[in-house]
């Protein structure tokens, strides 16, 4: 004889929203993680073959990002299993619901900590790139470093306040808004510096070099815009989720849960994909230029690293810019 279950609509709606959120997060994460694996292998190949300056540091940073991205994929899969069990437990009125809710809470906390750490590592990589392009000038790092520290502090404080009963006053979107501002700042500083130098190079050495600077600027703007767009979508989803009552079973609540999961997955993996994509694009361009054998004497092959050799007599005119500059 079939067993009939009587479930509260509020409990079912909450469990359904959790499952939609987690499943959407996992599907998005796994799709992007599959793409990231390919990009990571290509990036490692590029670093191994081209032997750029400070290759060990780049290899270590890229490997740490891949490890964190892998941990994120594993955590989201585990969250999906727990969310499905919670849904089943709500329907069957299981006594394990409290335990499952605690497990899911721990997994969610782990994922938030991982994303915060992953974002800090990626920001440090972007900071290093900005530092090198600015000719190792430490003063230019002051504001970006403060922004990176503020992002981490906001994330920790927000997470602590959210887990403290009866605590209010800190918007959950604050760390992500700060992260968005940090990435925009680093993107403008880096791309702006390249654009400014391209004008000087164009005046002294001719327009042939401007193409190489424009390519570097495009790489930086595209990768930065990709991650910034994902952050904007995630902030919008948090606003949508905050204005929706998940205990009410309707299409708006379902859409908010799916949007939250998809955008969270985008942020969780794009934070690694964006910087890795630059290495891959540079490596692919370098391989094509070697295969075609094109290029002019004294100029780098098309699509390869931007490497300019400035005569010593002109060095002062470049504001102490290094005589040999690699933009990767």
């Amino acid at each position: 004889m079939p067993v009939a279950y009587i479930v509260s609509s509020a409990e079912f709606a909450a469990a359904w929203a959790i499952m939609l959120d987690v499943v959407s997060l996992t599907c998005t994460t796994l799709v992007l993680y599959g793409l990231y694996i390919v990009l990571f292998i290509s990036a490692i190949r590029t670093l191994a073959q081209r032997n750029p300056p400070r290759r060990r540091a780049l290899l270590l940073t890229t490997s740490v990002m891949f490890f964190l991205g892998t941990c994120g994929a594993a955590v989201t899969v585990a969250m999906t299993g727990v969310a499905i069990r919670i849904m089943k437990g709500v329907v069957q009125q299981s006594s394990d619901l409290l335990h499952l809710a605690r497990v899911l809470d721990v997994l969610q906390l782990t994922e938030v900590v991982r994303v915060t750490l992953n974002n800090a590592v990626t920001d440090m990589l972007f900071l290093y790139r900005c530092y090198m392009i600015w000719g190792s000038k430490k003063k230019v790092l002051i504001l970006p470093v403060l922004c990176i520290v503020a992002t981490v502090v906001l994330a920790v404080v927000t997470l602590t306040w959210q887990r403290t009963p009866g605590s209010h006053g800190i918007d959950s979107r604050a760390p992500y808004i700060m992260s968005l501002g940090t990435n925009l700042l680093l993107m403008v500083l880096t791309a702006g510096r390249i654009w400014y130098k391209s004008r000087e190079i164009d005046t002294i050495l001719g327009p042939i070099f401007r193409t190489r600077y424009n390519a570097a600027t495009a790489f930086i703007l595209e990768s930065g815009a990709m991650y910034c767009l994902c952050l904007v979508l995630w902030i919008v989803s948090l606003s949508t989720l905050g204005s929706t009552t998940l205990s009410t079973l309707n299409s708006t609540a379902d859409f908010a849960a799916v949007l939250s999961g998809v955008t969270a997955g985008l942020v969780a993996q794009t934070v690694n994909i964006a910087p890795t994509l630059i290495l891959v694009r540079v490596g692919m361009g370098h391989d094509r230029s070697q295969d075609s054998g094109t290029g002019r004497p004294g100029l780098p092959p098309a699509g390869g690293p931007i490497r300019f050799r400035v005569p010593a007599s002109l060095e002062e005119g470049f504001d102490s810019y290094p005589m040999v500059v690699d933009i990767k």
Side-chain angles (χ1 to χ4, degrees):
M1 183 176 180
V3 179
Y5 297 103
I6 300 177
V7 184
S8 167
S9 60
E11 292 180 358
F12 182 85
W16 177 253
I18 292 174
M19 192 178 71
L20 283 179
D21 183 15
V22 174
V23 170
S24 300
L25 168 63
T26 303
C27 291
T28 306
T29 298
L30 291 180
V31 170
L32 293 179
Y33 180 68
L35 173 62
Y36 179 46
I37 291 176
V38 178
L39 294 176
F40 172 74
I41 294 174
S42 299
I44 294 297
R45 173 177 170 271
T46 298
L47 292 174
Q49 291 182 350
R50 301 189 60 191
N51 193 24
R54 296 175 177 83
R55 182 179 67 171
R56 291 184 179 180
L58 291 174
L59 281 171
L60 177 61
T61 305
T62 304
S63 300
V64 169
M65 290 192 302
F66 181 75
F67 172 75
L68 292 172
T70 302
C71 291
V75 169
T76 55
V77 171
M79 288 171 60
T80 300
V82 176
I84 292 175
R85 290 189 60 185
I86 288 177
M87 186 67 191
K88 181 179 178 181
V90 168
V91 174
Q92 297 181 350
Q93 297 295 304
S94 173
S95 59
D96 294 334
L97 280 177
L98 183 59
H99 171 70
L100 291 174
R102 290 174 178 172
V103 172
L104 182 61
D105 183 61
V106 171
L107 290 173
Q108 289 175 333
L109 175 62
T110 303
E111 177 62 7
V112 170
V113 172
R114 183 205 66 82
V115 170
T116 302
L117 180 60
N118 204 158
N119 185 75
V121 172
T122 302
D123 284 347
M124 293 302 295
L125 179 60
F126 287 156
L127 183 69
Y128 169 76
R129 181 183 65 185
C130 181
Y131 174 69
M132 295 303 297
I133 289 178
W134 274 83
S136 302
K137 293 181 179 180
K138 296 181 179 179
K139 290 183 179 180
V140 76
L141 301 182
I142 296 177
L143 184 57
V145 167
L146 291 177
C147 290
I148 293 174
V149 173
T151 301
V152 176
V153 171
L154 273 174
V156 173
V157 172
T158 302
L159 184 61
T160 302
W161 276 68
Q162 286 179 342
R163 299 178 65 83
T164 302
S167 298
H168 302 284
I170 297 183
D171 196 323
S172 61
R173 297 168 294 183
Y176 303 102
I177 295 175
M178 192 68 212
S179 178
L180 176 62
T182 302
N183 280 272
L184 288 173
L185 175 63
L186 287 170
M187 184 171 61
V188 170
L189 284 174
T190 306
R193 179 68 170 179
I194 296 176
W195 175 81
Y196 176 76
K197 285 300 174 181
S198 70
R199 294 169 60 87
E200 294 186 354
I201 287 288
D202 184 35
T203 302
I204 298 174
L205 300 179
I208 187 64
F209 286 93
R210 177 176 293 181
T211 302
R212 318 225 55 79
Y213 273 107
N214 289 342
T217 304
F219 289 169
I220 293 169
L221 291 178
E222 288 172 6
S223 63
M226 179 192 304
Y227 184 52
C228 289
L229 176 60
C230 292
L231 281 173
V232 170
L233 292 176
W234 172 236
I235 294 170
V236 171
S237 74
L238 288 178
S239 303
T240 304
L241 192 63
S243 61
T244 303
T245 304
L246 292 179
S247 60
T248 304
L249 187 60
N250 52 44
S251 58
T252 303
D254 292 348
F255 172 77
V258 173
L259 179 63
S260 174
V262 171
T263 52
L266 287 173
V267 170
Q269 291 299 320
T270 308
V271 67
N272 296 319
I273 291 176
T276 306
L277 187 59
I278 296 179
L279 290 173
V280 174
R281 290 189 60 183
V282 171
M284 290 175 63
H286 181 72
D287 293 341
R288 286 197 301 268
S289 65
Q290 286 186 330
D291 293 340
S292 62
T294 59
R296 299 184 183 183
L299 294 180
I306 302 177
R307 189 174 182 87
F308 299 100
R309 297 185 179 273
V310 183
S313 59
L314 298 179
E315 186 178 4
E316 293 183 0
F318 282 84
D319 194 21
S320 301
Y321 204 58
M323 293 179 63
V324 179
V325 181
D326 283 311
I327 300 178
K328 297 180 173 60

